[in-house]
Amino acid sequence: GAGVSQSPSNKVTEKGKDVELRCDPISGHTALYWYRQRLGQGLEFLIYFQGNSAPDKSGLPSDRFSAERTGESVSTLTIQRTQQEDSAVYLCASSFGFRPAGTDTQYFGPGTRLTVL
Amino acid sequence: AQSVAQPEDQVNVAEGNPLTVKCTYSVSGNPYLFWYVQYPNRGLQFLLKYITGDNLVKGSYGFEAEFNKSQTSFHLKKPSALVSDSALYFCAVREGGNTGKLIFGQGTTLQVKP
């Protein structure tokens, strides 16, 4: 079936505004992840959802960042009061949710490029 | 703490020559190791992973990687490079267990010249 999809592909916003980024995982995948990729850098883990378990929020950089997931489907990453340092590509990934989770392969979407002016 | 190092920002090879992209890791438990490739303006594509078993792992597009526990390395290799292999390559590690997050290296740009 289709891969991970993300929308919008590009988002330009003004400093101080809120933004919402959306991720549609691969059908049947129970695990969903958000990462941030700053220009010229590797990926930073943000948050991980696995089924009905409490999400692992250990990577969220501040309380301006939050994410929700509806069941085992769509997820939304929200950034409130955006700052210029939030400019990055935000990547979503999903996986089957095998145990142990460390063996699971994550499949990535194309990302949302966020620019904060 | 887990970490991954990719010591080379860029690797240049001629088409047809073998290529190696280096990766070393640090974890306290058993490592689960991954390689991904990123083409311009696109998401990451999975190449291969090491979980357990044979130290030589074969993956997509003719790539392979060798897990070396004593050297804590997981170098990516290909016997004969193609111009189309030019891209950004990321090594990533998960510590054994149920943690979901991947720790990524900074990436290595592979440039294959005709």
Side-chain angles (χ1 to χ4, degrees):
Chain A
V4 177
S5 61
Q6 293 185 244
S7 61
S9 54
N10 280 284
K11 176 71 176 179
V12 180
T13 191
E14 294 179 348
K15 179 181 173 181
K17 296 283 181 70
D18 297 352
V19 295
E20 285 189 352
L21 312 180
R22 177 187 168 106
C23 172
D24 282 273
I26 293 171
S27 177
H29 281 190
T30 63
L32 187 147
Y33 315 77
W34 284 97
Y35 292 86
R36 177 171 69 179
Q37 184 178 23
R38 288 188 164 130
L39 186 64
Q41 298 188 22
L43 279 71
E44 303 170 70
F45 167 79
L46 296 177
I47 189 169
Y48 159 51
F49 296 91
Q50 172 57 65
N52 295 321
S53 302
D56 176 356
K57 302 180 181 180
S58 61
L60 294 179
S62 77
D63 59 8
R64 296 187 296 105
F65 287 73
S66 62
E68 293 183 346
R69 188 178 185 195
T70 308
E72 294 183 348
S73 184
V74 172
S75 175
T76 301
L77 177 68
T78 301
I79 308 173
Q80 295 179 310
R81 305 181 302 282
T82 52
Q83 304 294 314
Q84 287 183 333
E85 64 261 28
D86 299 335
S87 295
V89 176
Y90 290 83
L91 291 161
C92 174
S94 69
S95 69
F96 280 111
F98 295 147
R99 287 287 187 265
T103 64
D104 217 8
T105 298
Q106 296 177 22
Y107 296 91
F108 284 80
T112 294
R113 182 175 299 277
L114 175 65
T115 303
V116 182
L117 301 176
Chain B
Q2 304 169 71
S3 66
V4 176
Q6 293 181 242
E8 301 154 319
D9 289 336
Q10 182 157 328
V11 170
N12 298 309
V13 297
E15 187 174 32
N17 283 0
L19 69 87
T20 298
V21 183
K22 295 179 180 178
C23 172
T24 58
Y25 65 90
S26 175
V27 298
S28 57
N30 292 322
Y32 297 150
L33 296 152
F34 300 77
W35 275 102
Y36 285 85
V37 59
Q38 186 176 36
Y39 295 99
N41 300 315
R42 296 178 65 177
L44 275 67
Q45 295 181 29
F46 169 72
L47 281 178
L48 51 80
K49 67 182 178 183
Y50 171 82
I51 303 300
T52 187
D54 195 346
N55 290 341
L56 185 63
V57 178
K58 294 188 182 295
S60 306
Y61 313 120
F63 284 93
E64 58 189 28
E66 186 167 11
F67 171 65
N68 187 318
K69 188 173 183 178
S70 62
Q71 297 185 3
T72 61
S73 67
F74 189 56
H75 301 331
L76 182 70
K77 300 181 180 184
K78 187 173 183 181
S80 179
L82 300 173
V83 172
S84 57
D85 292 331
S86 298
L88 182 57
Y89 290 80
F90 289 100
C91 181
V93 67
R94 269 203 194 109
E95 198 169 61
N98 278 325
T99 176
K101 63 184 177 185
L102 284 170
I103 305 299
F104 282 84
Q106 293 299 297
T108 298
T109 299
L110 174 65
Q111 186 74 40
V112 182
K113 299 194 175 180

